[in-house]
């Protein structure tokens, strides 16, 4: 008996998810059903692919080889399906997108309903990660990253750029006063980042240049955490336009020192791995999200 594509998909899913129970949840089956599929696959191949205990799973050498080949086969099947769909101009298939949590929450999630109505045959998987990932290892089609990209063999497409605003809540300003010059910030509580020191250089013109290095009184690894700290009146922050536009318009955050803003804008890039023609579903998403990001540039509150 020959292995079937659905058995390959479940096997690959188990390895990528790290456990039978996690894979079962993703494919909508019971753990026992997934376990039976693995056993049936091993019986067909007459070899052990996974050494399983109650606490862990380890791929055998045969399992490692089979995993690599199974992924190639499934990718080829996806590409074949995509090519057939492209001929009919109907984008379809699974689209796996990775972005930092703030970008995912503020610049992608609000438009998902519209995207799904436009492209009902595309199945989206949205994953958040603030760090650079291996696209192949993480089975990711598109990773959206903010800031200057390091040299890479991956393909990249610019989606636009985002201004940075110096912001604080009205409650904080009423309690601590409003800075009117860059030097005034030294007397305030500044909210900074723990993992990317470049984000702690604020886009402010001063005597030594146009990127002002701060000394943070309170730091966090995520921009979304810093946004919430600012909303709670914990200090002054420098945050991306796409994260703060709604808060600024609603009056929850106030833009500070706009006349000193150097105008620096964070690049927004989509990176993807593709050694053949770009899949139609990827092209559709990139075009769609780029059009939405263009809306942010129309009102940057910098003047």
């Amino acid at each position: 008996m020959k292995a079937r594509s659905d058995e390959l998909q479940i096997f690959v899913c188990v390895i990528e998810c790290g456990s039978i129970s996690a894979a079962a949840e993703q494919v909508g089956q019971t753990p026992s059903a997934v376990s039976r599929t693995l056993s049936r696959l091993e019986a067909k191949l007459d070899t052990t692919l996974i050494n399983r205990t109650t606490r862990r799973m380890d791929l055998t050498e045969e399992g490692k080889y089979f995993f690599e080949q199974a992924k190639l086969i499934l990718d080829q099947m996806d590409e074949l399906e995509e090519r057939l769909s492209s001929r009919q101009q109907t984008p379809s298939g699974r689209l796996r997108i990775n972005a930092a949590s703030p970008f995912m929450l503020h610049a992608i999630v609000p438009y998902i309903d519209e995207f799904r109505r436009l492209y009902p045959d595309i199945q989206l998987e949205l994953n958040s990660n603030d760090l650079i990932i291996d696209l192949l290892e993480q089975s990711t089609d598109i990773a959206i990253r903010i800031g200057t990209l390091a040299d890479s063999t991956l393909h990249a497409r610019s989606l636009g750029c985002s201004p940075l605003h110096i912001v604080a809540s009205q409650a904080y300003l009423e309690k601590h006063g409003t800075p009117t010059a860059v030097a005034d910030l030294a007397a305030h509580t500044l909210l900074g980042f723990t993992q990317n020191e470049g984000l702690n250089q604020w886009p402010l013109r001063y005597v030594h240049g146009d990127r002002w290095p701060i000394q943070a009184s309170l730091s966090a690894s995520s921009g979304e955490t810093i946004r919430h700290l600012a909303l709670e009146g914990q200090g002054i922050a420098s945050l991306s336009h796409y994260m703060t536009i709604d808060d600024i318009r609603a009056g929850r955050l106030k833009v500070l020192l706009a006349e000193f803003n150097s105008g620096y804008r964070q690049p927004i890039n989509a990176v993807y791995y593709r050694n053949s023609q770009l899949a139609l579903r990827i092209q559709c998403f990139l075009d769609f999200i780029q059009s939405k990001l263009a809306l942010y540039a129309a009102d940057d509150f910098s003047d």
Side-chain angles (χ1 to χ4, degrees), residues 159-188:
L159 298 179
C161 55
S162 177
L164 288 168
H165 301 305
I166 312 304
V167 295
S169 70
Q170 188 61 39
Y172 174 88
L173 297 175
E174 290 175 357
K175 185 175 181 179
H176 301 282
T178 300
T180 58
V182 176
D184 295 345
L185 292 174
H188 285 268

Side-chain angles (χ1 to χ4, degrees), residues 61-107:
E61 287 302 313
E62 294 78 9
K64 292 177 182 178
Y65 175 77
F66 189 75
F67 175 67
E68 294 174 357
Q69 298 304 310
K71 287 192 68 174
L72 287 175
I73 291 170
L74 293 174
D75 286 343
Q76 289 171 352
M77 291 176 65
D78 284 344
E79 185 172 345
L80 176 59
E81 179 182 347
E82 183 64 39
R83 285 182 179 273
L84 292 174
S85 296
S86 296
R87 293 182 58 159
Q88 302 173 1
Q89 295 300 304
T90 305
S92 64
R94 181 172 55 173
L95 179 59
R96 296 157 294 197
I97 302 165
N98 186 287
S101 298
F103 191 87
M104 183 70 76
L105 292 172
H106 295 280

Side-chain angles (χ1 to χ4, degrees), residues 246-288:
D246 290 336
D247 296 321
I248 294 169
R249 287 174 173 167
R252 292 186 293 268
L253 291 175
K254 182 177 179 181
V255 176
L256 307 176
L257 303 173
E259 65 273 29
F260 298 100
N261 196 301
S262 65
Y264 169 77
R265 292 169 177 252
Q266 291 179 311
I268 303 174
N269 290 284
V271 294
Y272 50 90
Y273 180 88
R274 203 72 175 179
N275 54 12
S276 60
Q277 184 177 2
L278 189 63
L280 185 58
R281 64 183 181 275
I282 295 177
Q283 185 70 52
C284 287
F285 180 81
L286 293 179
D287 290 344
F288 175 83

Side-chain angles (χ1 to χ4, degrees), residues 4-16 23-24 27 29 33-35 37-38 40-41 74:
R4 304 196 310 264
S5 61
D6 60 326
E7 294 170 336
L8 299 186
Q9 289 172 333
I10 287 178
F11 170 72
V12 168
C13 186
V14 168
I15 304 307
E16 291 181 337
V27 301
Q29 296 186 16
V34 170
S35 182
T37 298
L38 292 178
R40 185 168 61 249
L41 182 60
L74 293 174

